[in-house]
Amino acid sequence: MKRRKLISVLLAATMMAAMFAGCGSDAASTDAKENADGADSTEAGGVKEFTAFFAVPGSEINDDNEIQQIIADKTGVKVKETWLTGQTAEEAVGMMITGGELPDFICGGSGQSQLYDADVLVALDDYLDDYPNIKNFFTQQQWDQLRQDDGHIYWIPQFSNIKGEEKVCTHNDEAFWIQARVLKWADYPEIRTMDQYFDLIERYNEANPTMEDGTENIPYTILCDDWRYFCLENAPQFLDGYPNDGSCIVDPETLTVIDYNTTDTAVKYFQKLNEEYQKGIVDPESFTQTYDEYIAKLSTGRVLGMIDQWWDFAYTAGDAIKQAGLDAQGCDYIPLPITIDESVKNQWHCSGGVLNVSDGLAITTSCEDVEAALQFVDDLLSQDIHNLRFWGVEGVDYNVDDNGEFYRTEEQRTRAVDTAYKASHTCTYSYFPQYSGTSDDGINANKPDGQANEFFDGLNDDVKEAFSAYGAETYVDMIGTNEAPGAWYPMWSYSNSFTTDTEGGMAWNKIGEIKHEYLPQVVMAKDFDAAWAEYMDAYNSCDPGAFIGELQTELDKRMEEAAKYE
């Protein structure tokens, strides 16, 4: 039976101004519209406008964005997108529900279950057959995985789909990252373990305590803001050689859920962070900085290393580093295949898409034209519109060689990362459904970062030099790749949708609170053993067995369901 209870965060939500319009200016190419081949102009006033909110930080584009207008000319639709600012996802979603003011499209992130509980989402089941691009976006098995406990489908995960041959050059996931200048200084050593990683950072910082302009380096920082505290807490699963199940380890042989929070490796990892903190290597602002402050810090080029997911920093801090010319100082980040010891094979990168069943793009009951909204999503998945979203306008943002392969000039690559140019010209509709993999033409990648030649040609020189030294051509080559471990993967797509309606969900919520409170203390403590013991007492009081038990039940269910499609 569908739950109607609004969780406590809705009651605690305070009225705040959640969104503000971004601005930017730049003389985007005046040839953009002329070069958009075959754009069918829509008469003035004929474009239907929808609204969208995404419960993650993002950058708004200009109202007169060129590619957004081209897409509107082709589809008859324009969407005003707003993003999370100054609140948690749960707070923002809660305010929208209680205020009765919902956008047409929404992705609630960690607040997605609130939308379902409040009965403000449109069930998509009866519509899917009328929109072939959407219908074919997933297999029947995958659509069935998206059904909620009332049997209906309410959202479309946007990021898991690989069309045709997988083309991967970027490690879009989590890793221990280190600046190219650190590796170059040490003559590109082989770094395989956590101890080797921190030893290198220590030695580099001792020999080179500042940047070229005298700015003091930050050897290692940790992002702990809100849900992004995974940058602090989930490394033990990777260090033990397991892939990113997020909330637990799964033994692939026994199909048993294991709690990574209490393993011997977890103790060693946090003890190492404690040691590095006492040495002054770990940034003392790690546990108080906001996400924006963290990105600003990385953008200066000062930070030598951190754990993070590529998508969480590369399109903001990474672009800023290039714009500032800091790549010339070797400030770009390289992933390393770090495990607890050299006998452990890493699984930081897994091939294939990951279906996140816990959230996705949804249409709210406030939308007055569901059919037109779905038609727009369907149009966004057509190849020509998809090319506009991620490659841009031919002749302006990219060119085509005699073999039909897309490529960019250096000038085009520079523009592509320019903040003002992106605001005035580029429109990816980045939180709408999209493909990676191969275009329908069988030649090109659906996104530039998957186009091997373009990817390598577009790399900054410091990254190229590092790759060459390690015999790599891509970020993935630096750490290796693995097949997805099994039909259960990943378990975080289940734990992300936990609510306090179950004992396991209540335990999960308490565990999060305890980790936020105690793990910074563990890292900073003068007496690590005492701090760890205190943390474990608090952790065990949360009844983690209930949480692990519900994960085990879900794992068993997923394996049983997968067997039906074999």
Side-chain angles (χ1 to χ4, degrees):
M1 181 176 181
K2 188 169 181 179
R3 299 170 313 228
R4 304 285 178 148
K5 184 179 70 174
L6 297 181
I7 62 175
S8 59
V9 68
L10 302 188
L11 304 177
T14 56
M15 298 305 294
M16 298 171 61
M19 258 57 69
F20 55 87
C23 60
S25 62
D26 188 56
S29 170
T30 57
D31 298 328
K33 292 183 181 178
E34 290 80 353
N35 283 288
D37 184 37
D40 298 322
S41 295
T42 303
E43 292 182 3
V47 174
K48 184 180 289 290
E49 294 193 1
F50 290 105
T51 56
F53 171 70
F54 306 115
V56 294
S59 299
E60 295 188 20
I61 59 176
N62 296 354
D63 290 339
D64 59 352
N65 180 280
E66 290 188 328
I67 289 181
Q68 186 179 52
Q69 186 56 51
I70 295 169
I71 292 174
D73 291 342
K74 284 177 169 285
T75 65
V77 169
K78 179 183 288 189
V79 178
K80 175 62 176 176
E81 301 171 296
T82 52
W83 306 84
L84 187 68
T85 179
Q87 296 170 291
T88 66
E90 291 87 349
E91 289 169 346
V93 169
M95 284 178 56
M96 289 181 177
I97 293 171
T98 55
E101 297 183 0
L102 290 158
D104 300 301
F105 293 103
I106 194 165
C107 179
S110 55
Q112 192 86 356
S113 62
Q114 297 168 234
L115 296 163
Y116 173 67
D117 290 344
D119 200 19
V120 295
L121 301 181
V122 174
L124 304 177
D125 313 48
D126 293 338
Y127 295 97
L128 293 177
D129 287 339
D130 296 329
Y131 304 95
N133 290 335
I134 299 176
K135 176 72 172 179
N136 295 328
F137 195 60
F138 293 123
T139 66
Q140 187 58 51
Q141 179 183 358
Q142 290 170 322
W143 282 119
D144 287 343
Q145 287 178 262
L146 291 166
R147 295 188 185 278
Q148 301 306 300
D149 56 13
D150 67 355
H152 292 295
I153 299 166
Y154 291 92
W155 53 79
I156 307 170
Q158 307 99 310
F159 307 112
S160 61
N161 207 302
I162 299 169
K163 181 192 285 188
E165 179 188 356
E166 185 172 16
K167 292 178 179 285
V168 181
C169 300
T170 299
H171 174 60
N172 197 45
D173 304 308
E174 195 163 343
F176 277 89
W177 301 87
I178 196 166
Q179 286 189 326
R181 58 174 167 148
V182 181
L183 297 172
K184 182 176 182 177
W185 172 81
D187 196 25
Y188 302 105
E190 182 178 4
I191 303 296
R192 294 277 308 281
T193 70
M194 178 176 63
D195 288 340
Q196 293 167 354
Y197 175 85
F198 280 109
D199 177 68
L200 175 57
I201 286 178
E202 285 182 41
R203 290 188 291 109
Y204 177 87
N205 194 63
E206 183 178 5
N208 308 273
T210 66
M211 299 177 68
E212 291 180 4
D213 64 357
T215 302
E216 187 175 350
N217 290 326
I218 299 172
Y220 186 84
T221 197
I222 308 170
L223 176 59
C224 300
D225 190 18
D226 196 35
W227 56 270
R228 287 181 169 89
Y229 83 122
F230 63 79
C231 299
L232 169 66
E233 65 87 24
N234 74 3
Q237 64 179 330
F238 296 108
L239 291 171
D240 270 334
Y242 292 95
N244 188 19
D245 269 302
S247 51
C248 65
I249 288 170
V250 174
D251 185 321
E253 301 298 326
T254 63
L255 296 180
T256 302
V257 172
I258 299 170
D259 186 354
Y260 65 69
N261 296 290
T262 59
T263 62
D264 291 343
T265 293
V267 179
K268 293 175 184 176
Y269 165 68
F270 284 105
Q271 187 165 30
K272 186 64 178 178
L273 290 183
N274 178 276
E275 292 171 1
E276 298 301 327
Y277 184 87
Q278 306 307 326
K279 294 177 182 177
I281 298 300
V282 172
D283 179 10
E285 296 178 354
S286 291
F287 309 116
T288 57
Q289 64 188 347
T290 65
Y291 174 67
D292 288 343
E293 290 167 342
Y294 165 82
I295 290 298
K297 195 173 288 184
L298 263 59
S299 298
T300 66
R302 299 172 62 198
V303 179
L304 303 182
M306 74 287 182
I307 289 179
D308 203 350
Q309 302 238 5
W310 169 264
W311 52 261
D312 203 29
F313 72 90
Y315 305 110
T316 47
D319 287 353
I321 285 169
K322 183 175 179 64
Q323 278 188 268
L326 292 170
D327 53 302
Q329 295 185 38
C331 293
D332 282 310
Y333 292 99
I334 310 291
L336 294 176
I338 303 299
T339 55
I340 196 64
D341 64 58
E342 293 191 30
S343 68
V344 177
K345 182 182 183 298
N346 90 84
Q347 291 194 69
W348 289 95
H349 187 90
C350 290
S351 62
V354 173
L355 183 65
N356 178 13
V357 299
S358 64
D359 73 2
L361 182 73
I363 296 174
T364 77
T365 52
S366 293
C367 180
E368 297 180 354
D369 194 341
V370 174
E371 289 84 358
L374 284 169
Q375 185 59 58
F376 178 65
V377 176
D378 198 75
D379 290 341
L380 288 181
L381 290 170
S382 65
Q383 192 64 59
D384 63 331
I385 302 297
H386 201 278
N387 287 349
L388 276 169
R389 292 168 66 191
F390 295 101
W391 280 97
V393 177
E394 181 181 343
V396 176
D397 301 300
Y398 70 97
N399 306 303
V400 184
D401 68 16
D402 293 339
N403 298 315
E405 186 170 344
F406 297 173
Y407 70 95
R408 287 170 168 169
T409 65
E410 187 57 38
E411 180 184 0
Q412 288 168 336
R413 294 185 196 110
T414 300
R415 284 205 306 263
V417 300
D418 182 80
T419 302
Y421 186 76
K422 287 190 288 187
S424 66
H425 178 76
T426 302
C427 177
T428 63
Y429 281 121
S430 61
Y431 257 68
F432 281 79
Q434 57 197 257
Y435 286 108
S436 58
T438 306
S439 167
D440 290 344
D441 63 18
I443 299 171
N444 292 291
N446 276 311
K447 299 177 183 179
D449 62 9
Q451 192 93 327
N453 290 338
E454 170 57 29
F455 169 80
F456 192 80
D457 290 344
L459 289 174
N460 294 337
D461 287 342
D462 58 340
V463 179
K464 285 182 180 178
E465 184 176 335
F467 283 0
S468 177
Y470 289 104
E473 294 183 353
T474 69
Y475 289 98
V476 175
D477 289 344
M478 286 296 302
I479 54 177
T481 191
N482 305 271
E483 295 294 325
W488 75 82
Y489 183 78
M491 292 304 296
W492 57 256
S493 67
Y494 177 70
S495 58
N496 279 5
S497 62
F498 265 142
T499 72
T500 53
D501 290 342
T502 68
E503 290 185 5
M506 290 179 62
W508 173 243
N509 185 61
K510 291 177 183 177
I511 286 170
E513 293 174 352
I514 289 298
K515 289 164 85 169
H516 272 291
E517 177 182 355
Y518 280 86
L519 287 179
Q521 298 177 34
V522 166
V523 174
M524 295 185 292
K526 293 296 184 182
D527 185 340
F528 171 81
D529 291 337
W532 182 262
E534 185 178 354
Y535 165 54
M536 282 290 97
D537 286 343
Y539 180 84
N540 289 325
S541 72
C542 298
D543 190 16
F547 160 63
I548 295 298
E550 287 190 21
L551 286 179
Q552 185 67 55
T553 299
E554 175 65 14
L555 187 152
D556 295 342
K557 175 186 173 183
R558 290 186 176 190
M559 297 306 295
E560 291 172 6
E561 289 296 317
K564 296 177 183 179
Y565 296 89
E566 291 179 353

